[in-house]
Amino acid sequence: MSFCTEFMRDEKGQASVEAALLIPVLFVLLLLLIQPGILLYNHMVMKAAASEGCRLLMTKTDVAGASDEKYRAYILRRLGAIPPQDNFHVHSAGVCSWEIELNGNESSAEVAVTIRNKVKPLPLLDGAGKLLGILGASGAFEQEVTMHMPTQPDWVASNAEGLNPRAWVEKNA
């Protein structure tokens, strides 16, 4: 056998060449799986915080004052489960991208909490996001969650006597 034929059959280094081609592809696939996971995690935490905020707003009375700051602080504490890292939640130079909108109180028929968030995309996905038009004007994903809840359960509103809970107390006292 000639040296050339023997050299062509030698498979030393084949794994290194395959790894050099395969590792970047695996990293890109991993990157493509991480971004949706981050967005899903954010959505779940935001939805839970909005739901807790609605439950709290159901008890808001005029005695507590007109300020919503206590309620916003409560919701922000729940949103603390999301790290203040730009890939989870844009939080730069002391400016927080959380936008919290509160509607209603105990005398309303329904309460609502809306939470908005901005998430900086991971590298390589920012260019793709711009091309697809799924990024906002700031170059970030914009997430929004809105929760609506009635302040009274259906059975209270539809009771046979048409009494509200306050009337029940007065009737039975």
Side-chain angles (χ1 to χ4, degrees):
M1 248 197 270
S2 72
F3 175 75
C4 236
T5 312
E6 189 175 315
F7 180 73
M8 296 297 277
R9 287 188 183 172
D10 191 15
E11 294 182 6
K12 291 180 183 176
Q14 177 185 355
S16 298
V17 172
E18 288 175 358
L21 295 174
L22 191 58
I23 288 175
V25 172
L26 290 176
F27 278 132
V28 168
L29 289 175
L30 183 65
L31 192 66
L32 290 174
L33 291 175
I34 290 174
Q35 186 72 61
I38 289 171
L39 295 174
L40 179 62
Y41 174 75
N42 284 354
H43 182 78
M44 290 184 331
V45 172
M46 290 168 59
K47 191 170 183 178
S51 180
E52 289 287 324
C54 281
R55 287 189 200 105
L56 187 63
L57 276 179
M58 284 186 228
T59 63
K60 181 182 178 190
T61 63
D62 295 333
V63 175
S67 176
D68 288 337
E69 288 310 309
K70 291 182 251 179
Y71 303 98
R72 277 191 177 77
Y74 179 84
I75 293 169
L76 283 172
R77 182 162 171 80
R78 298 291 179 258
L79 293 172
I82 297 175
Q85 180 184 6
D86 286 350
N87 298 113
F88 284 87
H89 159 64
V90 175
H91 192 94
S92 59
V95 177
C96 188
S97 69
W98 292 120
E99 293 177 27
I100 300 171
E101 185 179 316
L102 306 171
N103 295 311
N105 58 24
E106 76 169 355
S107 61
S108 306
E110 182 178 83
V111 293
V113 174
T114 301
I115 302 173
R116 291 178 193 87
N117 182 26
K118 292 181 182 174
V119 178
K120 183 180 173 189
L122 294 172
L124 298 179
L125 296 180
D126 55 352
K130 287 177 187 174
L131 287 175
L132 294 173
I134 58 176
L135 299 180
S138 62
F141 290 112
E142 295 177 3
Q143 290 184 293
E144 181 176 323
V145 171
T146 301
M147 289 295 294
H148 299 273
M149 288 186 177
T151 55
Q152 297 291 332
D154 292 337
W155 64 269
V156 171
S158 64
N159 66 48
E161 297 175 13
L163 300 175
N164 62 27
R166 185 171 304 211
W168 294 347
V169 172
E170 291 171 358
K171 178 181 173 186
N172 295 325

